[in-house]
């Protein structure tokens, strides 16, 4: 419907949670009424980090400010749209702020298609907590759009006495 509508100068309202990195540039008149696309979400998140002094030092064992330089980790979905957003927007934005994560501290979670996949996902999240903690990551960005990853990460981190400073978009795509 969008190609026909846009050719005649009519936009369409969409209800997708997140469109691609650049939305759908072939449909410039369309409006997404549910959330921002990944590019806007990540840009807004980076701006919020700066304005809220998120890049300040942090002690992940105490869950409190510390006079250190941030060490950032990213927990994201292994999805082409998210990979593009993380690699071409989020990491360069963090680099510009002096907080570029090590490549090994960008963990991409696989998709879940069954109950068995959910068990694997939870195990991957628990492994991510261990990796971040052992690598000294004190700032964790979780790009969780459905609200399913964050609670598992928070629970696993709490059980290990690991309290990094968190950042990321909300499940509806807003930082």
């Amino acid at each position: 419907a969008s190609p026909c509508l846009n050719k005649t100068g009519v936009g369409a309202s969409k209800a997708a949670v997140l469109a691609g990195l650049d939305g759908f540039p072939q449909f410039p008149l369309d409006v997404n009424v549910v959330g921002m696309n990944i590019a806007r979400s990540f840009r807004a998140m980076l701006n919020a980090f700066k304005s809220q002094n998120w890049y300040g030092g942090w002690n992940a064992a105490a869950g409190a400010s510390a006079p250190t330089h941030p060490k950032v980790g990213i927990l994201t979905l292994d999805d082409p749209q998210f990979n593009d957003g993380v690699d071409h927007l989020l990491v360069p934005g963090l680099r510009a702020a002096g907080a570029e994560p090590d490549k090994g501290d960008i963990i991409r979670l696989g998709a879940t298609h069954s109950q068995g996949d959910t068990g694997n996902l939870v195990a991957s999240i628990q492994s991510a907590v261990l990796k971040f903690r052992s690598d000294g990551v004190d700032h964790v960005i979780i790009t969780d759009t459905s609200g399913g990853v964050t609670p598992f990460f928070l629970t696993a981190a709490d059980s290990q006495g690991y309290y990094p400073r968190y950042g990321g978009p909300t499940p509806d795509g807003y930082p």
Side-chain angles (χ1 to χ4, degrees), residues 16-19 32 34-42 44 172-175:
V17 174
L18 288 175
N32 186 339
V34 176
M36 291 188 266
N37 68 26
I38 292 170
R40 286 185 181 177
S41 178
F42 284 4
D172 60 4
Y174 293 93

Side-chain angles (χ1 to χ4, degrees), residues 49 54 58 129 138-142 150 153-158 162-168:
F49 289 168
W54 186 80
W58 193 256
V129 171
D138 52 19
H139 289 62
V140 174
I141 298 170
I142 303 174
T150 302
F153 189 93
L154 295 174
T155 301
D158 184 61
Y162 176 58
Y163 306 102
R165 181 174 274 181
Y166 292 104

Side-chain angles (χ1 to χ4, degrees), residues 43-170:
R43 285 185 193 112
M45 182 172 47
L46 290 166
N47 288 335
F49 289 168
K50 184 177 179 182
S51 70
Q52 296 172 8
N53 197 29
W54 186 80
Y55 298 109
W58 193 256
N59 179 330
S65 297
T68 60
H69 185 72
K71 181 159 175 56
V72 177
I74 299 172
L75 185 64
T76 189
L77 307 174
D78 191 5
D79 170 270
Q81 293 176 0
F82 279 89
N83 289 337
D84 198 35
V86 166
D87 297 341
H88 297 108
L89 278 173
L90 194 53
V91 170
L94 292 167
R95 181 183 312 119
E100 180 176 10
D102 294 337
K103 290 192 186 300
D105 290 326
I106 300 173
I107 298 175
R108 301 171 199 265
L109 301 170
T112 57
H113 302 290
S114 70
Q115 290 288 12
D117 292 341
T118 302
N120 292 335
L121 178 67
V122 171
S124 295
I125 293 168
Q126 292 169 338
S127 294
V129 171
L130 288 170
K131 171 121 176 74
F132 287 160
R133 186 170 185 223
S134 67
D135 286 355
V137 168
D138 52 19
H139 289 62
V140 174
I141 298 170
I142 303 174
T143 63
D144 181 10
T145 61
S146 65
V149 172
T150 302
F152 289 115
F153 189 93
L154 295 174
T155 301
D158 184 61
S159 73
Q160 295 180 35
Y162 176 58
Y163 306 102
R165 181 174 274 181
Y166 292 104
T170 61

